[in-house]
Amino acid sequence: SALAGLLLTSGAPIPLSAQTASERGGDARLQLGPFALSPFIELTGFGLDTNVFNEFEDAKRDFTFTLSPRLDASLRAARARLYVSSRSDLVYFHRYASERGAGGAADARLEVPGARLTPWLTGSFVSARQRLGYEIDLRFRRVASDAAAGIDARLGGRTRVGVSVGRGTFHHDPDAVFLGSSLRDVLD
């Protein structure tokens, strides 16, 4: 399809972590008036997992990789700016199919920059089947969503102060049990 072709030919990803929302969109791969699109595809975690199940004895080895297509979009309308990013994570294990999984994430930010004040709204959604960390050694589905609103004030050329309020929720797989405890009951 055309989208797959765009994803494969988009080139290296452009990191957005060091940019503010109002600086995004300037390096877009496709610009259509006020609308900008930047497709990416990343290959991460490529290699041999020498202990798939984190076992002390009889460690299982497997070839694995994660393929992550992503699409960043922005829209400028009058003074308002809308930024949306969506990503899929496709996790592959060659031998242990039970460890394969798919997940995704989407986030959006709407802001209206002013001379001194910039009000904004954000929202995000993540669904993933992965380990939370070393404390909970189990791959299970976790869905997280959050929303926030705030206002940033520019005090000088590089100085900004902001105030915000937000809410986040987590939902865990009802079948995920670790050390005899339902993760849904403990972590939701």
Side-chain angles (χ1 to χ4, degrees):
S1 77
L3 180 58
L6 279 174
L7 290 173
L8 291 174
T9 61
S10 66
I14 300 168
L16 296 178
S17 59
Q19 298 173 333
T20 65
S22 59
E23 295 168 336
R24 297 179 193 165
D27 294 329
R29 303 285 184 193
L30 177 63
Q31 186 80 39
L32 300 169
F35 191 66
L37 288 174
S38 292
F40 305 98
I41 191 161
E42 299 171 323
L43 178 64
T44 60
F46 183 86
L48 184 66
D49 186 337
T50 59
N51 195 351
V52 174
F53 300 104
N54 286 346
E55 299 169 316
F56 290 112
E57 297 178 15
D58 192 30
K60 310 291 189 288
R61 300 165 62 110
D62 199 356
F63 170 75
T64 182
F65 66 86
T66 302
L67 190 65
S68 301
R70 185 179 93 213
L71 180 65
D72 293 343
S74 65
L75 175 66
R76 295 175 181 247
R79 288 183 28 214
R81 310 285 187 259
L82 175 64
Y83 304 97
V84 177
S85 180
S86 70
R87 183 190 81 237
S88 294
D89 293 320
L90 309 170
V91 181
Y92 175 79
F93 282 83
H94 181 69
R95 183 180 301 162
Y96 298 103
S98 65
E99 302 306 296
R100 295 176 188 163
D107 60 76
R109 178 179 174 103
L110 174 65
E111 63 182 28
V112 183
R116 292 275 181 207
L117 300 176
T118 301
W120 54 266
L121 300 168
T122 63
S124 68
F125 175 83
V126 177
S127 175
R129 184 180 175 273
Q130 61 187 9
R131 289 184 174 121
L132 281 180
Y134 295 110
E135 296 85 17
I136 301 176
D137 191 20
L138 177 70
R139 286 185 180 93
F140 64 97
R141 175 74 47 201
R142 180 176 193 228
V143 176
S145 60
D146 68 270
I151 190 164
D152 295 336
R154 182 181 309 192
L155 301 179
R158 294 182 180 215
T159 306
R160 294 182 180 151
V161 175
V163 176
S164 65
V165 62
R167 175 171 164 64
T169 60
F170 299 95
H171 299 286
H172 299 82
D173 184 353
D175 298 329
V177 176
F178 185 71
L179 298 176
S181 296
S182 166
L183 295 179
R184 179 176 232 171
D185 294 340
V186 174
L187 298 176
D188 274 9

